[in-house]
Amino acid sequence: MAGNAGGGHGASMGSWIACLVIIAGFIVGGVALIYWNWPAFWIGVGVVVAGCAIARAVHIMEDVSEYGGATH
C-alpha cells in the first residue's frame, strides 16, 4: 500500500491503470450507443469487466482510506 503522509490519496499505479481501462470501456460503449453499433458496445462492456478484474487483482479498494491511504 502506498502511503501519502501529506493527505490526499495513496493510489498505486495498478489502481490508476484499472481506472483508465474502466473509463476507456465506458467511452467505447457510450460512443457505440450513439452510433447504434452493438458489437462495439459489447466490446466496451468487455473492457469494463476486464478493468474490474484488474481492479480486483490490484486490490484497488485497499489503496485509499479516509486518512489518505496511510495506515494508522
Side-chain angles (χ1 to χ4, degrees):
M1 194 178 327
N4 188 353
H9 59 81
S12 68
M13 185 59 70
S15 295
W16 282 109
I17 290 170
C19 287
L20 290 174
V21 169
I22 293 168
I23 291 168
F26 271 101
I27 290 171
V28 168
V31 170
L33 282 176
I34 291 170
Y35 290 107
W36 291 92
N37 187 337
W38 291 107
F41 170 78
W42 289 111
I43 289 170
V45 170
V47 171
V48 169
V49 171
C52 290
I54 293 168
R56 179 150 173 103
V58 299
H59 305 287
I60 194 171
M61 296 304 289
E62 296 174 10
D63 277 351
V64 180
S65 74
E66 70 179 295
Y67 302 109
T71 56
H72 293 281

